[in-house]
């Protein structure tokens, strides 16, 4: 795990901000094998692109399994989470609009 000024940790999940503006936040999620990102929701539209690993994305009570090269859109205010399969760690590129100022405020804390 990195511990730089652009990284926020949520349990075992590492979120590194790659780019940010008033309208958009781009981040990389590093998810250890078998780790679960807790169920949460926010007013931002979200798109997730799986770079590596196999992930189960739960959104609005439905689970969709994604492999590298797959993407999923999460509508605003929908409860969702990610579970990484136990075989290997995963990497996900995530984009939110509007910007995740709540995450930006957590950088360096």
């Amino acid at each position: 795990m990195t511990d730089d000024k652009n990284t926020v940790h949520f349990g075992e999940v590492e979120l590194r901000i790659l780019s940010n503006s008033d309208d958009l936040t781009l981040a990389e999620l590093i998810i250890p094998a078998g780790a679960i990102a807790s169920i949460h929701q926010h007013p931002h539209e979200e798109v997730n692109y799986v770079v590596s690993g196999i992930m189960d994305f739960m959104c609005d009570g439905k689970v969709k399994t994604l492999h590298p090269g797959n993407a999923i859109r999460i509508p605003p205010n929908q409860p969702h989470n990610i579970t990484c399969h136990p075989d290997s760690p995963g990497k996900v590129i995530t984009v939110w609009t509007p910007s995740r100022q709540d995450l930006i405020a957590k950088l360096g804390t």
Side-chain angles (χ1 to χ4, degrees):
M1 287 189 175
T2 62
D3 194 34
D4 65 42
K5 63 182 180 181
N6 293 326
T7 302
V8 178
H9 294 96
F10 295 97
E12 297 180 272
V13 177
E14 179 179 303
L15 185 149
R16 186 166 63 99
I17 302 294
L18 301 174
S19 184
N20 187 64
S21 71
D22 291 338
D23 299 318
L24 184 83
T25 300
L26 173 69
E28 174 184 64
L29 300 176
I30 304 299
I31 307 171
I36 300 171
S38 63
I39 296 174
H40 62 284
Q41 66 186 60
H42 42 74
H44 310 85
E45 181 174 10
E46 177 177 334
V47 174
N48 294 285
Y49 174 82
V50 177
V51 175
S52 62
I54 300 173
M55 310 282 170
D56 288 334
F57 283 82
M58 187 282 297
C59 180
D60 197 25
K62 299 174 187 148
V63 176
K64 184 172 182 179
T65 300
L66 298 183
H67 299 264
N70 295 151
I72 188 170
R73 177 186 168 269
I74 309 292
N77 301 309
Q78 289 294 315
H80 60 282
N81 81 328
I82 304 171
T83 301
C84 187
H85 281 215
D87 300 338
S88 65
K91 184 185 293 187
V92 175
I93 299 297
T94 301
V95 178
W96 296 278
T97 187
S99 175
R100 288 294 305 265
Q101 292 301 314
D102 58 320
L103 295 177
I104 301 304
K106 292 182 181 198
L107 294 177
T109 58

